[in-house]
Amino acid sequence: MDRQHILDLYEWRPAICFRHPGRGVIDTTVVKTIHPRDDDDREVRACQECVMAMEDMQREAAARSGSDYEPGRVGEASP
């Protein structure tokens, strides 16, 4: 599956990437929701570059463990 097909699996909207705040508002997707005890839930959002880096890490981890890699699931809990 190529880069664009993987990116198309996510829902994108303009926001700040958690790893690249200096880039300002860019297309991002939610990769995690954190639930602070004394505050409202907060979305952790990542840009396309970060999502692809996380996809690569998941693909490599799946290959090492002998499990199947399924793109489009960055941020979901690992089995």
Side-chain angles (χ1 to χ4, degrees), residues 17 26 28 32:
C17 175
I26 55 177
T28 63
K32 184 82 171 169

Side-chain angles (χ1 to χ4, degrees), residues 66-79:
S67 58
D68 292 331
Y69 162 68
E70 187 176 339
R73 301 180 68 153
V74 164
E76 293 182 13
S78 299

Side-chain angles (χ1 to χ4, degrees), residues 7 10 12 14 17 21 28 31 34 39 45-47 49 51-52 57 60-61 63 65-66 71-72 77 79:
L7 293 174
Y10 294 93
W12 300 93
C17 175
T28 63
V31 293
I34 58 175
D39 204 355
R45 301 188 68 87
C47 67
E49 179 183 323
V51 167
M52 290 308 299
M57 287 186 273
E60 292 166 7
S65 69

Side-chain angles (χ1 to χ4, degrees), residues 35-71:
H35 310 281
R37 183 174 300 200
D38 297 332
D39 204 355
D40 293 333
D41 290 354
R42 304 221 180 218
E43 292 179 338
V44 177
R45 301 188 68 87
C47 67
Q48 294 179 0
E49 179 183 323
C50 291
V51 167
M52 290 308 299
M54 288 184 267
E55 286 284 352
D56 288 342
M57 287 186 273
Q58 284 189 340
R59 182 178 21 258
E60 292 166 7
R64 281 192 306 275
S65 69
S67 58
D68 292 331
Y69 162 68
E70 187 176 339

